[in-house]
Amino acid sequence: MEWNTSNKNNRKVTVINGGHFSNLEEFYDEVSSVLMKDTDWKVGTLDGFDDILYGGFGVFGNGEELEIIWKESQKSKKELGFEATRDFYENKIRQGKPFNIQLIRQKLDDLTSGKGQTLFEILVEIIESHKNIVLILD
């Protein structure tokens, strides 16, 4: 990830570079390296990723305007697609508690039937749920 101070809209700008990762764990490392720079906290879950996008710790303030440019997003879309998502859910099912196995099985069933979201789509939805953040897929 790269960090620029601001753009013409006075938003802070950061770049997620899809060339720097090929799986969810590496995505978390990429996000942590810039958004959580100089902190001891590292992103390691989808909920944790959502939490840091509120700001207030790490490198941008609570509610501060942020623009995220996701470079090589098509590569990420493929690598964080159906297979990676299926493996993600199957791993949680194998682990059992503390995960809600019934819910995860439903998500896996939805995915295999073509109705569920991939990890990439989930990450995009998490980013877009923050009204102070603009996402640009590049």
Side-chain angles (χ1 to χ4, degrees), residues 16-34:
I16 298 172
N17 189 330
H20 293 172
F21 59 90
S22 57
N23 60 49
L24 188 59
E25 290 74 27
E26 292 171 355
F27 171 84
Y28 292 148
D29 290 343
E30 173 78 355
V31 171
S32 295
S33 71
V34 169

Side-chain angles (χ1 to χ4, degrees), residues 82-96 99 101 104-105 107-109 111-112:
F82 177 85
E83 288 181 26
T85 308
R86 182 192 60 214
D87 293 348
F88 174 77
Y89 289 138
E90 288 175 349
N91 186 44
K92 289 194 177 303
I93 290 168
R94 273 192 303 276
Q95 289 178 35
F99 301 111
I101 301 306
I104 294 169
R105 280 200 176 110
K107 289 179 178 275
L108 182 58
D109 290 345
L111 179 73
T112 55

Side-chain angles (χ1 to χ4, degrees), residues 57-87:
F57 49 94
V59 296
F60 73 104
N62 192 357
E64 188 174 6
E65 299 269 317
L66 179 67
E67 182 173 303
I68 296 175
I69 301 169
W70 191 327
K71 290 189 175 182
E72 297 188 47
S73 62
Q74 289 305 306
K75 174 184 175 291
S76 298
K77 185 175 183 176
K78 180 180 179 191
E79 291 175 343
L80 298 173
F82 177 85
E83 288 181 26
T85 308
R86 182 192 60 214
D87 293 348

